[in-house]
Amino acid sequence: MAKWGQGDPRWIVEEREDGTNVNNWHWTERDATSWSKAKLREALVGLVVESEAGRCETTELKQVEGEASCSSRKGKLIFFYEWNIKLGWKGTIKESGAKHKGLIEIPNLSEENEVDDTEVNVSKKKGDGEILKDLMKTAGTAKVREALGDYLKALKTEFTMGMILPTKALQNQELTVKRKLSENTLQASSPVALGVKIPTVALHMTELFDTTVEQLYSIFTVKDLVQKFSKSSAVLEAEKGGKFQMFDGTITGEYIELLTNRKIIMKWRCRSWPEEHYATVALSFVPALGQTELQLDCKGVPICKEENMKFCWQKQHFEEIKCLLQLITLNG
């Protein structure tokens, strides 16, 4: 027989009052269905998107069917969620004041798909108002996916608090880390900003535009043009050290360097990223036989947000800018 304090650590009761689920070995499960329904309502109702054409808002959670749960085994968390969601939305066309209503359907939000790939279907009641439907299909869909991401983040952090119990080994490890951080701070000649390191990736994308370098450069630096392609309000101070805000505050950052008609370098962050984390985005404008090649180089994108960043630039920037250029050409 093993002496007290020896043997298989799975069965050793540590010195704490509860003495249960030692080292998080046993299977535990927590139902997240009711909590999720309330959280989804909080995240999805009241989302607003606005452009020069009109303003739309999600007004009610008409249906939320499904379930969610979280399980713990051997110190690991396992999530299950499957939702069918329907949202009501309403909008107003600014020019005429006409009001329209519609529906947003999310048929399958589950752990099998990335939130950025989750299907979001937008429909509208019969009649005019297609411009509002288009606004909801672009900026509205992006905002809905962002809200779903916020729900999943809360599910994996807020809801699971207390499911993984601290062990002596973990406590000793945390004390060691804190001691090393303290020593490093004392040794540094200037204060060191301590934060959580996250894994990041670099992106490189290129796109051809049927326009001049000067015009494409202006689309990224003139407030009115930014608001037109983003179909939302924007704040721009297009100078070194100037701040910017796009897509109603979803994207924020600062201009690091501007070389007129050649290059723009920015600090860039999405609202859903970890607090105070910025990527560096460099845009290079290269003439190419009657066209302009835009070269995007981005460093420091959170690895879990890589696909979202690609979607943001391809769908919400490149494709929308091309639509804007076509309108400018048509209007002479």
Side-chain angles (χ1 to χ4, degrees), residues 61 73 77-78 157 166 206 224 238 255:
L61 191 60
R73 176 75 164 99
L77 293 174
I78 303 164
T157 54
T206 61
D224 182 55
Y255 291 102

Side-chain angles (χ1 to χ4, degrees), residues 234-238 242-246 251-256 264-269 281:
V235 177
L236 257 73
E237 300 171 359
K243 309 292 185 182
F244 65 83
Q245 179 176 301
M246 300 167 57
I251 304 297
T252 55
E254 178 182 326
Y255 291 102
I256 298 174
I264 300 173
I265 302 177
M266 303 169 280
K267 282 175 61 179
W268 176 285
R269 69 171 268 106
V281 171

Side-chain angles (χ1 to χ4, degrees), residues 49-209:
V49 290
E50 193 168 2
S51 70
E52 292 182 345
R55 181 183 186 276
C56 296
E57 179 180 359
T58 55
T59 55
E60 60 177 321
L61 191 60
K62 289 180 171 290
Q63 174 184 300
V64 53
E65 295 180 346
E67 58 183 322
S69 64
C70 177
S71 303
S72 170
R73 176 75 164 99
K74 298 183 183 179
K76 294 181 180 179
L77 293 174
I78 303 164
F79 296 93
F80 170 81
Y81 52 92
E82 190 170 23
W83 296 107
N84 184 332
I85 301 167
K86 291 183 181 179
L87 284 166
W89 65 270
K90 64 180 181 181
T92 305
I93 297 176
K94 288 185 178 179
E95 186 176 340
S96 66
K99 298 182 183 297
H100 297 275
K101 294 182 179 180
L103 192 68
I104 298 173
E105 296 183 77
I106 306 160
N108 184 29
L109 174 65
S110 73
E111 76 280 0
E112 295 179 357
N113 302 307
E114 293 291 333
V115 69
D116 296 329
D117 298 325
T118 299
E119 185 178 355
V120 178
N121 300 319
V122 178
S123 59
K124 184 188 66 63
K125 291 188 175 180
K126 292 181 179 180
D128 296 330
E130 287 298 316
I131 195 166
L132 295 178
K133 180 181 174 182
D134 291 341
L135 177 61
M136 289 303 293
K137 287 179 72 173
T138 53
T141 293
K143 216 151 198 182
V144 165
R145 287 193 173 120
E146 182 183 345
L148 294 175
D150 291 341
Y151 153 68
L152 294 177
K153 181 179 179 181
L155 174 65
K156 295 175 181 180
T157 54
E158 178 185 325
F159 179 78
T160 59
M161 289 181 65
M163 289 194 69
I164 299 295
L165 303 175
T167 64
K168 280 187 176 180
L170 180 59
Q171 290 169 345
N172 291 337
Q173 183 181 6
E174 288 176 347
L175 287 172
T176 301
V177 170
K178 288 179 180 177
R179 185 167 61 250
K180 287 183 177 179
L181 288 174
S182 178
E183 291 171 354
N184 291 339
T185 303
L186 291 172
Q187 292 171 2
S189 57
S190 59
V192 177
L194 300 180
V196 179
K197 275 195 169 184
I198 61 172
T200 61
V201 294
L203 300 179
H204 176 74
M205 301 172 70
T206 61
E207 193 78 11
L208 278 174
F209 294 88

Side-chain angles (χ1 to χ4, degrees), residues 207-266:
E207 193 78 11
L208 278 174
F209 294 88
D210 294 325
T211 187
T212 63
V213 166
E214 292 78 10
Q215 188 170 49
L216 187 59
Y217 182 89
S218 69
I219 285 177
F220 285 95
T221 53
V222 176
K223 177 181 175 180
D224 182 55
L225 294 175
V226 169
Q227 292 186 146
K228 283 182 177 178
F229 87 72
S230 66
K231 298 183 175 68
S232 61
S233 60
V235 177
L236 257 73
E237 300 171 359
E239 59 186 28
K240 187 174 181 178
K243 309 292 185 182
F244 65 83
Q245 179 176 301
M246 300 167 57
F247 297 99
D248 296 321
T250 302
I251 304 297
T252 55
E254 178 182 326
Y255 291 102
I256 298 174
E257 186 177 5
L258 295 99
L259 300 177
T260 305
N261 301 330
R262 290 169 53 200
K263 195 165 193 173
I264 300 173
I265 302 177
M266 303 169 280

